[in-house]
Structure formats: structure tokens, C-alpha cells
Amino acid sequence: EAGVAQSPRYKIIEKRQSVAFWCNPISGHATLYWYQQILGQGPKLLIQFQNNGVVDDSQLPKDRFSAERLKGVDSTLKIQPAKLEDSAVYLCASSLDRALRGGELFFGEGSRLTVL
Amino acid sequence: AQSVTQPDIHITVSEGASLELRCNYSYGATPYLFWYVQSPGQGLQLLLKYFSGDTLVQGIKGFEAEFKRSQSSFNLRKPSVHWSDAAEYFCAVGARAGTALIFGKGTTLSVSS
């Protein structure tokens, strides 16, 4: 089966500019996650969607970050305006919700953002 | 609140030697536990998971992990390390299926010849 697709793989922008990342989850996966991974750290959850509804966005910096998941499939994460500290890899993941599957997350390859 | 601690930031192991990466978690009930591996420039790949049953779980690439409730630990082991195992390893905990995972800060594994 096809994996989680993300684009772009790399993006370099100036501070105060905007950027958007796109994610297409594995077909049939109802839950989609965006994680931020700063160099040298573990991934940190930004937002979780179940179908097209938000389950958890408590760690999303809402003054500059926004995310949407239209029609319960693809998702877009936007940063506007970007700050230097937003330089990170943005990982998208998806999962099934059935308990027997063990709750594992399937990750895309990530989008690496550099803010200058 | 859930949390994960990986005490070792960086470990170097000789090729062919055994490996153990430590992971301690904090969670009130029986958690879902995972080990992921990340090679440079890649996403995270699942090595193994535990959510019930036998406390010794087998994963891909010859890895195994043991859930010890009394020690709140889920250490990753491999009897003989290969050079291709050099990567970043992350332990993660979840409350149940369909919930977000909390990740540790990771352990970087280097393999020497």
C-alpha cells in the first residue's frame, strides 16, 4: 500500500514569510497527525485530526500556525509569519483507530523547513 | 500526564556486539509502547510495539523489547548489531489506539567497525 505522502521535502524561507506543507495519509486512515521535530529532539505533536475534526491542537501555536483537513483526507499545515525557531522537520502521520491494530502511527518522510 | 525518558543521548557499539537502549515511561494505566527508528533524512519507521499480552515482543530487523511494568521500562535490545543499524531510535507511549504518541528525545546509535 502507498505510504504517507508529504510535500515539499525541503523549504527555505526568510523570517516573516509564510509556508505551507501538504500531507496525504494512507488510504482509509481516519486519524492524521502533524508533528514538529526540532534538530536533536523527539517529535512533538502539533495537531491531531479525526476525519476532518480537530481532536487535539493544544500545542499548536495558533497565532502563527494553522492546519486544516478538508473532506477528511488531505491536510495542509501553514505557518504565517515564520520565525527562526520554526526551523524543523514537519512530520505527518496517520493511523487506524481499531484497537487490535495496536495504535501505531505511520509516518511520512517529513518536510524540512529552514527559516533564515 | 504521559512522558518518556531515554536516558542515553548517544551510544557507540562495536559491530557484532549486543545492544540495549533504555526507555522509561510515565503513565497511570497500561500504555501502548513503541520503538521507532529514524535514518538521516527519513521519516520514522516502526520497529516494534507492545499493547497487551506477552511482555517480550519481537520486531523487525532482529530487534526485541521487554515491557517491565514494575520498572516502567520498555528497553530495546539486539543480540548482534550491524553497521546498518546506525540511526536515531525513539521510544514512544500512547494511551490507546487512535491517540497521539508522546516521544522521547531519542538515542543516537553509532556502530564502530
Side-chain angles (χ1 to χ4, degrees), chain B residues 30-74:
Chain B
T30 299
Y32 285 65
L33 293 162
F34 305 81
W35 275 99
Y36 282 85
V37 61
Q38 186 177 37
S39 297
Q42 302 296 312
L44 283 81
Q45 180 185 23
L46 180 70
L47 285 176
L48 47 77
K49 60 187 178 185
Y50 170 81
F51 57 99
S52 67
D54 192 345
T55 57
L56 182 63
V57 293
Q58 303 296 321
I60 62 171
K61 303 183 181 185
F63 286 93
E64 67 178 27
E66 186 171 12
F67 170 58
K68 293 185 177 180
R69 184 190 304 274
S70 61
Q71 299 176 22
S72 297
S73 69
F74 189 57

Side-chain angles (χ1 to χ4, degrees), chain A residues 57-74:
Chain A
D57 64 355
S58 58
Q59 298 187 82
L60 187 73
K62 298 181 185 63
D63 58 334
R64 298 182 300 104
F65 286 65
S66 64
E68 60 182 7
R69 190 182 185 195
L70 300 176
K71 301 181 181 179
V73 182
D74 293 6

